[in-house]
Amino acid sequence: MTDGHGAVRTWLVCVAFAIPAVASADDRFGVMTHFAQGWKLGLITAIARTPIRNVRDELYWKEVERKPGHFSFPPDYNRYMAALERAGISPLIVLSFGNPHYDGGKTPVSDAAIAAFARYATQVVERYRQIHAVEVWNEYNGSFCTGPATRDRPGNYLRLLRATFEAVKRVRPDVLVVGGATSGVPLPYWDELLAGGGLAWMDALSVHPYRYDSPPEGMQRDIERLRALERKYGGAAVKPIWATEFGWAVRPARAPGDLTIDERTQAEFLVRGYALLLSAGVSRAYWYLFADDPNLAMGLEHHDATGTPRLAKAAMQALMQELQGATFAGRDATRRDLYSLRFRRSDHMDVRVMWSLVPRTLELSGARAITDLEGRRIEPAGPLA
């Protein structure tokens, strides 16, 4: 299956039922936003026009506690949180980062700074009752961990995680505490977190399974290895895994033979990435980003005055529509370079997300309809190429 330019085409093949006309909210899908960094509130209206009802954003510690022991939420924070609530959009709030009043603004490592960070977390969840999930830090295993904390990242993160988990649960036991937020899926790092008891202090594990310069195939194996590690320390009662960031930037090839990611390729990777993550048991995945940041073309929309949509936006909405009410049921027996991931609805009807890594023509039988990346219906007449 190829579009004539060497790019792999992706199809959603619907078997034996009519396609729903409108997608409803699906908690498995979310997007990263940057309202805490000054994004215009009009983007909340744009999100509300889609079926996406989960965003990931931040309420920075240093902005909330400008004087030691005194908490005050900036008006911009109040406005964007209120706008999300009015729109029925649920925020996953990343608790981050350092505060100049504690440990010199570096990642908290002293007992006093960790206790202060936990107090900040309780202030956030008590101030905004709409919050139902928080994530402790962001990419602690990467560049966002600074200062003495870097000398023992797993050990110091576990101290921070435990203090935050216990503090949040005392005041809001209903709030999910998401832990890890790792850059990539670093298994040795996760081994240390889980061996140190981390599963006791998180309701879900979070990872950022980026494959910046590579296609999405292989993401599912990273998740499966993490799940195996979780079972090693937690037994059969596994906790959810969330991919709280993943995505691809639109960009030209950087060198001869390098991968070019145009808008169609980005949309293809979005559908394939989501399908693979869901097939590996990921409970929720947040695309990075909803709209471009300046000089970072990773958005579902361009960074322009009108929010011009990319093909990836239509692709995400089409995928949400077709997988509405459907859970992963298995991969069909095919050649290794042909993917046919089968999702089953509660009425026992199937939806398949299909793509090939090499050009080929397929004969399909039993398909009621086919949907392309733009959400257009294609009648299943003749071979699929």
Side-chain angles (χ1 to χ4, degrees):
M1 297 178 286
T2 173
D3 66 359
H5 299 284
V8 176
R9 298 188 71 180
T10 303
W11 304 95
L12 294 98
V13 179
C14 308
V15 179
F17 67 91
I19 300 175
V22 179
S24 61
D26 186 335
D27 277 344
R28 294 174 295 180
F29 297 82
V31 289
M32 183 78 196
T33 57
H34 283 314
F35 294 108
Q37 296 180 18
W39 276 19
K40 302 299 183 184
L41 296 188
L43 284 170
I44 295 176
T45 302
I47 297 170
R49 294 194 190 105
T50 76
I52 300 165
R53 288 299 175 269
N54 289 293
V55 300
R56 178 178 182 263
D57 215 297
E58 296 171 302
L59 299 166
Y60 296 108
W61 182 18
K62 67 179 182 180
E63 301 297 334
V64 170
E65 189 181 358
R66 288 179 172 267
K67 296 180 180 180
H70 296 273
F71 296 89
S72 178
F73 289 85
D76 286 350
Y77 286 7
N78 291 330
R79 280 192 287 269
Y80 101 70
M81 291 294 285
L84 288 175
E85 188 170 27
R86 287 193 300 271
I89 297 171
S90 179
L92 166 62
I93 294 298
V94 184
L95 300 170
S96 56
F97 285 110
N99 186 307
H101 300 297
Y102 304 95
D103 288 356
K106 305 297 185 181
T107 301
V109 69
S110 68
D111 290 344
I114 288 175
F117 184 89
R119 286 194 298 272
Y120 143 72
T122 65
Q123 292 290 318
V124 167
V125 298
E126 288 190 299
R127 171 65 182 83
Y128 300 108
R129 307 295 295 188
Q130 73 203 80
I131 294 174
H132 298 292
V134 293
E135 193 169 23
V136 181
W137 212 261
N138 180 70
E139 299 187 355
Y140 200 99
N141 64 315
S143 60
F144 291 103
C145 178
T146 60
T150 60
R151 296 171 190 160
D152 178 11
R153 292 175 194 256
N156 288 319
Y157 182 75
L158 286 174
R159 294 172 58 226
L160 185 70
L161 177 66
R162 179 174 184 172
T164 305
F165 180 90
E166 292 176 346
V168 168
K169 292 297 184 179
R170 278 195 296 270
V171 299
R172 289 282 309 276
D174 59 306
V175 170
L176 298 177
V177 177
V178 183
T182 56
S183 175
V185 188
L187 295 180
Y189 178 81
W190 272 104
D191 196 308
E192 292 193 60
L193 290 183
L194 301 183
L199 286 173
W201 308 307
M202 61 179 83
D203 296 305
L205 298 71
S206 61
V207 295
H208 299 166
Y210 285 110
R211 300 177 76 84
Y212 300 101
D213 300 317
S214 303
E217 289 71 34
M219 297 173 70
Q220 75 280 14
R221 289 189 290 275
D222 293 338
I223 301 298
E224 289 161 0
R225 293 182 186 112
L226 177 59
R227 181 67 84 197
L229 196 59
E230 184 188 4
R231 288 194 178 97
K232 173 183 174 182
Y233 292 104
V238 296
K239 295 187 176 183
I241 295 176
W242 292 9
T244 52
E245 289 184 27
F246 85 107
W248 285 265
V250 174
R251 60 163 181 79
R254 298 190 177 104
D258 186 24
L259 178 68
T260 296
I261 303 179
D262 58 15
E263 291 202 11
R264 173 162 288 276
T265 302
Q266 182 196 44
E268 295 273 1
F269 284 4
L270 181 150
V271 172
R272 288 154 57 182
Y274 261 109
L276 290 166
L277 290 172
L278 294 176
S279 77
V282 167
S283 301
R284 187 177 298 182
Y286 292 79
W287 179 262
Y288 193 99
L289 289 155
F290 179 74
D292 288 351
D293 267 353
N295 304 315
L296 186 60
M298 296 183 75
L300 302 180
E301 292 187 351
H302 289 266
H303 183 80
D304 58 23
T306 58
T308 305
R310 282 203 169 89
L311 180 57
K313 184 177 182 181
M316 185 164 179
Q317 293 183 88
L319 184 66
M320 292 182 70
Q321 173 176 297
E322 304 306 339
L323 294 189
Q324 183 177 322
T327 56
F328 181 66
R331 179 176 174 179
D332 292 324
T334 61
R335 296 171 58 98
R336 291 183 62 183
D337 54 13
L338 174 63
Y339 286 77
S340 179
L341 302 184
R342 180 166 46 88
F343 294 81
R344 176 153 292 187
R345 290 163 40 110
S346 58
D347 58 7
H348 304 295
M349 301 303 176
D350 290 342
V351 178
R352 286 174 169 83
V353 183
M354 302 179 67
W355 68 93
S356 175
L357 300 183
V358 297
R360 59 163 39 93
T361 299
L362 295 178
E363 295 286 349
L364 299 179
S365 62
R368 189 64 75 80
I370 300 170
T371 301
D372 69 8
L373 281 181
E374 297 179 49
R376 296 176 301 194
R377 291 281 300 274
I378 299 171
E379 296 305 318
L384 186 63

